[in-house]
Amino acid sequence: MTTAYNKEPSIGIRGRDQDVCRGYAAIGTVLQSRLQNNTKSVVVIECYPGVRQQEIMEGLRPYLHPTDVIEAEAAAIDAAKINGMVERYLTDDRVFGYMAPFHIEEMYDPHKLAKLRERVEAVPEGTVIVIGFGASLVTHGDLLVYADLARWEIQLRYRSKEFGNWLAHNEDEDMLRKYKRGYFHEWRMADRLKRSLFQRIDYYLDTNAQNDPKLALWDAVLDGMEQISRQPFRLVPYFDPGVWGGIWLESKLFLPNKEHPYAWGFDGVPEENSLYLDFGSVRMEVPAINLVFLQPKSLLGERVYSRFGAEFPIRFDFLDTMGGQHLSLQVHPTTDYIQTRFGMPYTQDESYYILDAKPGAQVYLGLKEGVAPEQMLNDLRKAERGGGSFPAEQYVNVFPASKHDHFLIPAGTVHCSGSDCMVLEISATPYIFTFKLWDWDRLGLDGKPRPVHLDHGAQVIQWDRTTSWVERELVGRVELVAEGNGWREERTGLHEFEFIETRRHWFSEPVLHTGNGSVQMLNLVEGEEAVVESPDGMFEPFVVHYAETFIIPASIERFVIRPSGPSVGRTIATIKAFVKG
């Protein structure tokens, strides 16, 4: 199957071209024009952790000519005190922590903040700039600029050692530990602050690309988000190498060569993906989670929003083992365990949709009949200590995997994809909670043993999910739902234990889809091209290509998908996921 997969999908924002500019010269001119009639002006630049603050100041200084520049983080409490506060939430584990409840105010010294406010007030005239993560605590100012960047860009800055975590001075620390501190503490605190400022922001600053900033009037961003919440759209995908990576993503999606093969493709994870917003000739990159925060009801649906809050509960991603290696043998925590041990409200139920596979491909799923838990755990511990390979096939079922098979994996089920599979993973959003039980005697790309979490895994393995139950409940669950002229709809899962439902449509003629009170995430799993249309003209026709994931907001009550381009006259297929009613 060939594909015209779009690696840089963008969304045109209508009617706001004049409210966006690019480059420090243009940005400085815009800001200065807002301040020119003031004898004294205070500009607050609130920053998401990881923003290049020095670059911003160097870029703006020639245009704003500040009388004083105040670095807000000078008023933060000592780094040692911060570490002491968050230590119990980060734990000693290399990967997992506990969701920390902190707000930015707790990280600042009131007396030091008061000194900075006095410094602001002491300037008789001119422009004062207050910048940093927490700058908005110092003063409201005359203008509030919010400087933002995508979660994936933060991770790249961690990896390059350009940045560590906020005030942690840990640039050289293990990447997994930096990510953990971001995930469980820093980003949660930053998102709480960001959301609290939505009614105060004047301008939004995109800082993803080095020395290439874009500034938008905040009202233009709000308008853009409202427009997006009423049309189909795609997230900006990214792809990452891994020790078990294959060749499918690189060869089929025409990705650039890497030293190590691609293992993951993230094309449907709003917490980490971003959105490209085209305001005329200026393209802004915005974290996709901002759309969830700003348009939760229109995007998610009121029923889903009332259940999950402003959080996108569905996730699509790619796992490529074609010509690669097995994934780690793993298990995900039960809901009770993830709530009590990690502070998460729901767990990582998932499924493997086989987008492609070579002959002989396999999926490991569930335990064999009569497995003795202590014997299996003893063999796993022995393998972890280097006492020989774990005999996986002695304990775990192995099923043949073919294109368009769908394997259901409720939390607590032992599983992994074998080599030579291209998996579209459809799951709930808490995406880092994978307890590796065994990793096939290999090291990570960093040369270190990949973390194995056998103690956690032993607490959540559902030992009664054995061969007969798995064959009955998790494999080959395809049920005809409806059919018509040139189309049929099938229910392929997920399991009744899981809150996500999936439906597959095979069609050579246009198919009408109706809303069900939930956001819907889809992927074109067969066929080169399709077009999504609105029967009532609510949105412009939206073209999708093979393997592209796309989102239909809950605000869209009816939409039609039909084959287009080279797929006209052929039978093609989509898989879609939504939250059960």
Side-chain angles (χ1 to χ4, degrees), residues 482-503:
E483 59 184 334
N485 181 31
W487 65 271
R488 73 178 185 274
E489 178 183 0
E490 299 167 336
R491 181 181 184 274
T492 65
L494 278 61
H495 192 264
E496 63 179 5
F497 294 166
E498 306 176 67
F499 65 77
I500 297 173
E501 175 77 280
T502 59
R503 299 288 176 89

Side-chain angles (χ1 to χ4, degrees), residues 263-474:
W264 291 278
F266 297 94
D267 192 3
V269 189
E271 265 208 1
E272 301 229 350
N273 288 115
S274 56
L275 296 165
Y276 282 155
L277 279 57
D278 287 345
F279 295 88
S281 62
V282 178
R283 173 170 293 179
M284 295 195 76
E285 184 173 4
V286 177
I289 194 66
N290 289 3
L291 175 64
V292 184
F293 292 156
L294 288 165
Q295 292 288 333
K297 292 183 181 179
S298 183
L299 174 66
L300 303 175
E302 290 203 40
R303 171 171 57 80
V304 177
Y305 176 52
S306 68
R307 179 175 178 180
F308 294 97
E311 181 167 320
F312 200 97
I314 305 170
R315 166 180 180 256
F316 278 22
D317 64 272
F318 298 125
L319 306 173
D320 182 2
T321 67
M322 292 282 275
Q325 304 177 30
H326 296 350
L327 297 181
S328 60
L329 191 67
Q330 57 193 247
V331 66
H332 299 300
T334 58
T335 298
D336 183 63
Y337 196 82
I338 205 170
Q339 289 176 344
T340 57
R341 294 300 296 268
F342 306 113
M344 297 292 292
Y346 60 99
T347 194
Q348 188 173 329
D349 290 312
E350 66 182 27
S351 68
Y352 286 169
Y353 190 91
I354 307 301
L355 194 62
D356 204 352
K358 290 184 179 180
Q362 298 174 322
V363 165
Y364 291 72
L365 186 63
L367 304 175
K368 292 191 172 181
E369 304 289 355
V371 165
E374 279 307 311
Q375 181 182 349
M376 177 174 161
L377 292 173
N378 285 339
D379 281 350
L380 284 167
R381 292 189 181 99
K382 180 181 176 182
E384 184 182 11
R385 294 192 299 266
S389 296
F390 175 69
E393 296 186 14
Q394 178 180 323
Y395 294 101
V396 184
N397 301 306
V398 182
F399 294 95
S402 300
K403 186 174 183 177
H404 296 303
D405 285 346
H406 199 178
F407 297 91
L408 314 183
I409 313 172
T413 308
V414 175
H415 67 281
C416 77
S417 170
S419 60
D420 293 334
C421 283
M422 182 60 213
V423 173
L424 172 64
E425 187 176 46
I426 302 172
S427 76
T429 299
Y431 51 91
I432 72 166
F433 295 92
T434 296
F435 299 152
K436 296 184 182 70
L437 304 175
W438 185 53
D439 203 34
W440 311 93
D441 299 323
R442 63 191 170 201
L443 301 177
L445 296 181
D446 57 4
K448 301 176 182 178
R450 300 180 76 217
V452 172
H453 291 92
L454 190 51
D455 289 339
H456 284 308
Q459 298 296 314
V460 300
I461 293 173
Q462 303 300 290
W463 299 99
D464 58 347
R465 293 185 186 167
T466 54
T467 307
S468 58
W469 188 88
V470 170
E471 289 177 341
R472 182 177 69 252
E473 301 284 339
L474 307 183

